[in-house]
Amino acid sequence: MIRKNALTATAAAAVLAFGLSACGGMEGDTEAETPAAGGAEESPATEENEGSGGMQEAGENFGPGCADVPADGDGSFEGMAQDPVATAASNNPLLSTLVTAVSEADLVDTLNSAEDITVFAPSNDAFEKIPQEDLDALLADQEQLTEVLTYHVVEGRHAPADLEEGTFTSLQGGDVTTAGSGEDYTVDDDSAVVCGNVQTSNATVYIVDTVLMPS
């Protein structure tokens, strides 16, 4: 069963307000290259990387899950790069359960208006690992759902190299840890990145295969 967390809705809202206090609105759309062979696409040439204090180098999407991303249209890598993160996720068929959860938690506008964030986005398969009864209970509990979802978001647009031995403070307030190298990364030890370095207009996204749970 998913453990109820003692954090109140007011506290969760305060965490969001603090974590996004620097967000003044959306920046201009990020231009995307034409997807490379095999469904991978080069990221924009340079992006502001607040988390590492410098410019993020260009890189390609990686991971076995990238093959399931649409080759064209709004849900493709190129299409997602044009939209803020919640909108971009809504166009990607791999993330439909996450989109439902974000809507239930009333976080669409919060995520779309944030600037320079990294999102560890659970795939549909990740949510399927949760027993249906527990998932239904989570989706029905806005307080707990908000806490779980904001744990998946950290400030700064982080390149894959930042994830090699990373510790990031989430908007929920807990620390998210990452490890790995090359095209093989884990988040909080047991969640694997299945498609990484996906760009939206305001976020870098790493699609993961397990829903992260704050302590």
Side-chain angles (χ1 to χ4, degrees), residues 51 120 154-155 158 162-163 165-170 174-178:
F120 299 104
V154 303
E155 292 187 26
H158 294 284
D162 296 335
L163 274 57
E165 291 184 21
T167 299
F168 311 99
T169 301
S170 70
D175 285 342
V176 178
T177 60
T178 60

Side-chain angles (χ1 to χ4, degrees), residues 174-201:
D175 285 342
V176 178
T177 60
T178 60
S181 62
E183 297 186 356
D184 185 13
Y185 294 93
T186 57
V187 185
D188 282 356
D189 295 329
D190 59 358
S191 186
V193 173
V194 296
C195 184
N197 207 28
V198 179
Q199 302 301 318
T200 75
S201 66

Side-chain angles (χ1 to χ4, degrees), residues 56-74:
Q56 178 176 316
E57 295 183 359
E60 294 185 351
N61 310 115
F62 63 87
C66 292
D68 296 324
V69 173
D72 51 36
D74 292 340

Side-chain angles (χ1 to χ4, degrees), residues 116-138:
D116 297 326
I117 56 176
T118 293
V119 178
F120 299 104
S123 65
N124 292 343
D125 289 343
F127 281 100
E128 288 178 2
K129 293 179 180 180
I130 301 174
Q132 189 63 47
E133 182 180 356
D134 293 346
L135 179 58
D136 290 344
L138 176 63

Side-chain angles (χ1 to χ4, degrees), residues 61-142:
N61 310 115
F62 63 87
C66 292
D68 296 324
V69 173
D72 51 36
D74 292 340
S76 66
F77 293 120
E78 182 176 5
M80 291 180 70
Q82 310 306 313
D83 293 319
V85 63
T87 301
S90 71
N91 294 321
N92 190 318
L94 299 179
L95 302 174
S96 59
T97 306
L98 174 62
V99 170
T100 297
V102 168
S103 297
E104 291 293 331
D106 197 21
L107 291 174
V108 173
D109 290 341
T110 298
L111 294 176
N112 275 349
S113 63
E115 293 183 5
D116 297 326
I117 56 176
T118 293
V119 178
F120 299 104
S123 65
N124 292 343
D125 289 343
F127 281 100
E128 288 178 2
K129 293 179 180 180
I130 301 174
Q132 189 63 47
E133 182 180 356
D134 293 346
L135 179 58
D136 290 344
L138 176 63
L139 293 174
D141 186 336
Q142 189 178 56

Side-chain angles (χ1 to χ4, degrees), residues 1-78:
M1 295 291 293
I2 297 175
R3 182 177 61 84
K4 285 281 186 178
N5 202 294
L7 188 67
T8 66
T10 301
V15 169
L16 279 172
F18 173 78
L20 299 175
S21 60
C23 302
M26 290 170 49
E27 294 182 339
D29 288 347
T30 301
E31 292 189 6
E33 303 275 343
T34 301
E41 176 207 0
E42 291 188 359
S43 301
T46 56
E47 294 175 355
E48 190 68 25
N49 184 347
E50 293 181 356
S52 56
M55 298 300 290
Q56 178 176 316
E57 295 183 359
E60 294 185 351
N61 310 115
F62 63 87
C66 292
D68 296 324
V69 173
D72 51 36
D74 292 340
S76 66
F77 293 120
E78 182 176 5

